[in-house]
């Protein structure tokens, strides 16, 4: 058995008839297995029929025009320069204009307006900050340019500035792409099974679980959006369990974490050095320019980046119509299709670099740069047909809907054993919990 890089097109084409397993050291290997069942159907949370895809990776890759794979270092660096320039421009204008806002004789009102403008200021910086995060994410996939050393330098600098350990994220995120939608091998946003949900709730069956109140759902949602990323990085929350390891031992900051392979050890340390460097710079920023300057120019935008990252990735992999698979029915083609494209308007296309609108394609071929992803998406939709997943409703509504409707997955009410669909105890959707 040999280790396979499925982020390359060669690896992707080879994975259709194979099974991913984890060695003791965490490395990914491919073993042959009995093929999955065909013509499977399940029932989603809305009560609609879900047909499991049966097309192959070869069909997907053959549909993509060859020029979509072409990467331009100059063009990619141009987007980095654009986003940094916009952040500098926002900073220059904001620092000049906002302190000058004054309503004669209304100091309290003036302070309130200035406070609101500083919030808008930090929000705008956070938008382009997340744009930079996405470009660093392209570096980790090798989609930034043909030169991986350049990709890693640029990605390490950008992710470190945003307190994301570049190589740690790169390695765990690669494993996520290799096993997307796999219930026991995916790396993030892994849902509870019915049994795990019941155990977590401390009851004997689903019918005994009390309905979550909307207020409780809102509190969980706020915590997820503001602290979810850091909790994931620090403890591998929503990732695989790795029995025998403490939460800290599973951290993305721990060189010996089971999340990584042994040969990743010094790369994880390099990631940690990047984080420590940024924290040191931010502390010096605070000492030399004051807390408020650091707060509105770095800390608040950083919180926005945390929010956008969880907001986007959660909604890319969670939906009441979305399946998850046990090992017996999972294939790379099915897992990649267990993602969904959404629409975030001007911001999504022009600031977030189409990461929301072309994510299905990204899971089939992660080395295609974002500026070629729309054309490639149009090409694979012809192969995917009804299996291509898109939702054009407000993403804010989708966020609330998914929080209320997607609490655990189960396959007890379907003949497609191994194909698990979302269920909930809130009575959200026509399909009721299975006791």
């Amino acid at each position: 058995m040999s280790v396979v890089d499925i982020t390359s097109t060669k690896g992707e084409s080879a994975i259709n008839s194979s099974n991913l397993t984890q060695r003791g050291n965490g490395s990914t290997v491919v073993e042959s297995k009995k093929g999955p069942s065909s013509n499977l159907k399940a029932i989603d949370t809305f009560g609609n029929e879900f047909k499991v895809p049966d097309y192959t990776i070869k069909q997907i890759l053959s549909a993509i025009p060859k020029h979509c794979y072409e990467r331009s270092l100059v063009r990619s660096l141009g987007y980095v320069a654009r986003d940094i320039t916009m952040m500098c421009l926002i900073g220059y204008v904001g620092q000049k204009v906002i302190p000058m806002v004054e309503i004669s004789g209304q100091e309290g009102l003036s302070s309130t307006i200035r406070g609101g403008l500083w919030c808008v200021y930090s929000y705008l910086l956070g938008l382009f900050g997340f744009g930079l995060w996405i470009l660093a994410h392209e570096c980790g996939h090798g989609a930034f340019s043909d030169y991986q050393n350049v990709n890693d330098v640029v990605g390490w600098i950008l992710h470190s500035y945003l307190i994301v350990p570049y190589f740690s994220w790169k390695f765990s995120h690669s494993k996520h792409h290799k096993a997307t939608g796999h219930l026991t091998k995916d790396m993030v946003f892994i849902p509870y099974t019915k049994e795990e949900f019941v155990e977590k709730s401390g009851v004997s069956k689903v019918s005994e679980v009390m309905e979550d109140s909307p207020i409780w759902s809102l509190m969980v949602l706020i915590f997820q959006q503001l602290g979810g990323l850091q909790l994931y990085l620090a403890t591998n929350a929503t990732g695989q369990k790795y029995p025998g390891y403490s939460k800290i031992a599973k951290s993305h900051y721990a060189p010996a974490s089971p999340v990584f392979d042994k040969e990743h050890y010094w790369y994880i340390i390099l990631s940690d050095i990047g984080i420590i460097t940024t924290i040191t710079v931010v502390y010096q920023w605070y000492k030399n320019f004051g807390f408020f300057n650091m707060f509105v120019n770095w800390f608040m935008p950083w919180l926005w980046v945390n929010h956008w990252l969880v907001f986007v990735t959660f909604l890319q992999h969670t939906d009441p119509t979305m399946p998850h698979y046990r090992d017996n029915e999972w294939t790379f083609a099915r897992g990649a299709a267990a993602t969904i494209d959404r629409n975030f308007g001007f911001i999504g296309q022009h600031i977030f670099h189409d990461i929301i609108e072309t994510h299905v394609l990204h899971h089939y071929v992660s080395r295609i740069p974002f500026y070629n992803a729309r054309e490639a998406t149009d090409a694979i939709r012809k192969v995917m047909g009804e299996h291509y997943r898109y939702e054009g409703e407000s993403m804010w509504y989708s966020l609330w809907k998914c929080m209320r409707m997607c609490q655990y997955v189960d396959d007890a009410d379907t003949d497609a054993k191994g194909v698990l669909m979302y269920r909930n105890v809130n009575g959200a959707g026509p399909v009721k919990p299975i006791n």
Side-chain angles (χ1 to χ4, degrees):
M1 297 183 292
S2 60
V3 177
V4 174
D5 176 14
I6 309 177
T7 59
S8 69
T9 56
K10 180 179 179 181
E12 285 161 341
S13 63
I15 201 65
N16 183 56
S17 61
S18 40
N19 177 33
L20 289 168
T21 60
Q22 297 287 328
R23 282 181 177 160
N25 65 2
S27 62
T28 304
V29 298
V30 173
E31 298 175 330
S32 61
K33 70 166 186 176
K34 182 180 179 181
S37 305
S38 59
N39 300 317
L40 290 175
K41 297 178 182 179
I43 303 298
D44 69 20
T45 314
F46 294 124
N48 298 321
E49 183 179 79
F50 170 77
K51 297 180 181 179
V52 177
D54 287 325
Y55 53 76
T56 67
I57 291 298
K58 182 178 180 181
Q59 290 174 285
I60 291 288
L61 298 180
S62 297
I64 300 173
K66 300 302 181 185
H67 64 264
C68 288
Y69 293 93
E70 295 175 2
R71 300 163 288 186
S72 168
L73 176 59
V74 172
R75 188 171 183 180
S76 296
L77 286 175
Y79 281 105
V80 173
R82 186 207 70 171
D83 288 354
I84 293 175
T85 299
M86 288 302 300
M87 294 178 76
C88 291
L89 183 60
I90 293 167
Y92 178 80
V93 173
Q95 295 287 339
K96 290 288 185 182
V97 173
I98 296 176
M100 296 173 60
V101 173
E102 187 74 41
I103 298 177
S104 180
Q106 300 288 330
E107 180 55 35
L109 180 59
S110 299
S111 297
T112 300
I113 293 174
R114 286 195 297 269
L117 290 174
W118 283 122
C119 289
V120 173
Y121 170 89
S122 295
Y123 166 78
L124 293 175
L125 288 177
L127 289 179
F128 286 97
F130 186 55
L132 289 175
W133 183 93
I134 295 163
L135 295 174
H137 164 259
E138 293 259 302
C139 291
H141 281 296
F144 191 80
S145 78
D146 295 330
Y147 313 101
Q148 191 55 49
N149 288 338
V150 174
N151 297 344
D152 286 340
V153 170
V154 173
W156 181 80
I157 292 171
L158 295 180
H159 265 175
S160 295
Y161 175 74
L162 299 168
I163 311 294
V164 174
Y166 171 72
F167 289 103
S168 306
W169 179 277
K170 173 183 174 179
F171 296 140
S172 69
H173 191 62
S174 174
K175 291 183 178 181
H176 159 62
H177 272 255
K178 294 172 182 177
T180 305
H182 194 299
L183 200 61
T184 57
K185 296 187 178 110
D186 202 348
M187 299 300 292
V188 69
F189 290 124
I190 300 166
Y192 291 113
T193 62
K194 183 183 73 172
E195 295 75 19
E196 292 168 338
F197 183 75
V198 166
E199 181 181 356
K200 175 182 76 78
S201 302
V203 295
S204 60
K205 55 185 179 179
V206 170
S207 60
E208 296 177 2
V209 180
M210 294 182 63
E211 177 182 351
D212 288 343
S213 70
I215 293 177
W216 176 254
S217 295
L218 180 61
M219 292 173 61
V220 172
L221 192 59
I222 291 173
F223 175 78
Q224 172 185 290
Q225 294 308 118
L226 293 181
L229 171 61
Q230 298 309 316
L231 191 64
Y232 170 66
L233 294 175
T235 68
N236 199 42
T238 78
Q240 294 296 338
K241 292 181 173 56
Y242 298 111
Y245 289 86
S246 68
K247 291 183 178 181
I248 299 301
K250 295 183 292 184
S251 168
H252 276 65
Y253 305 111
S257 169
V259 173
F260 310 115
D261 300 344
K262 289 183 178 180
E263 60 265 28
H264 295 157
Y265 188 94
W266 290 105
Y267 287 101
I268 309 308
I269 290 179
L270 183 57
S271 298
D272 294 345
I273 291 172
I275 302 299
I276 293 170
T277 300
T278 297
I279 292 174
T280 302
V281 169
V282 170
Y283 177 69
Q284 292 301 318
W285 189 339
Y286 153 72
K287 286 186 63 177
N288 287 278
F289 299 100
F291 173 80
F292 184 77
N293 185 285
M294 180 274 294
F295 184 80
V296 298
N297 285 290
W298 185 84
F299 184 76
M300 283 298 292
W302 173 74
L303 282 182
W304 275 112
V305 171
N306 279 251
H307 154 72
W308 290 125
L309 179 55
V310 177
F311 176 79
V312 168
T313 55
F314 176 66
L315 289 178
Q316 287 168 337
H317 300 94
T318 309
D319 190 79
T321 67
M322 195 86 76
H324 281 74
Y325 298 96
R326 297 191 193 276
D327 187 69
N328 62 306
E329 297 298 350
W330 182 90
T331 67
F332 184 81
R334 288 176 175 178
T339 58
I340 187 168
D341 287 347
R342 300 183 186 271
N343 185 354
F344 206 50
F346 178 89
I347 290 174
Q349 181 175 356
H350 297 288
I351 303 179
F352 289 175
H353 306 299
D354 266 339
I355 197 173
I356 297 170
E357 290 77 4
T358 62
H359 196 70
V360 176
L361 176 278
H362 177 68
H363 267 273
Y364 279 114
V365 193
S366 58
R367 290 181 184 269
I368 289 180
F370 74 90
Y371 42 79
N372 292 334
R374 288 212 174 210
E375 181 181 357
T377 294
D378 289 341
I380 70 169
R381 286 181 65 177
K382 297 172 183 176
V383 176
M384 297 183 70
E386 65 181 313
H387 302 295
Y388 171 74
R389 315 184 72 73
Y390 172 81
E391 178 56 73
E393 68 188 13
S394 166
M395 287 185 65
W396 297 104
Y397 173 72
S398 294
L399 183 65
W400 179 251
K401 179 181 71 177
C402 290
M403 179 58 64
R404 296 289 288 167
M405 299 184 78
C406 303
Q407 294 182 312
Y408 66 94
V409 293
D410 193 36
D411 61 359
D413 58 343
T414 176
D415 293 332
K417 301 304 180 184
V419 182
L420 297 88
M421 307 301 292
Y422 278 108
R423 300 291 183 259
N424 65 81
V425 296
N426 292 323
V431 178
K432 303 304 179 184
I434 303 301
N435 292 333

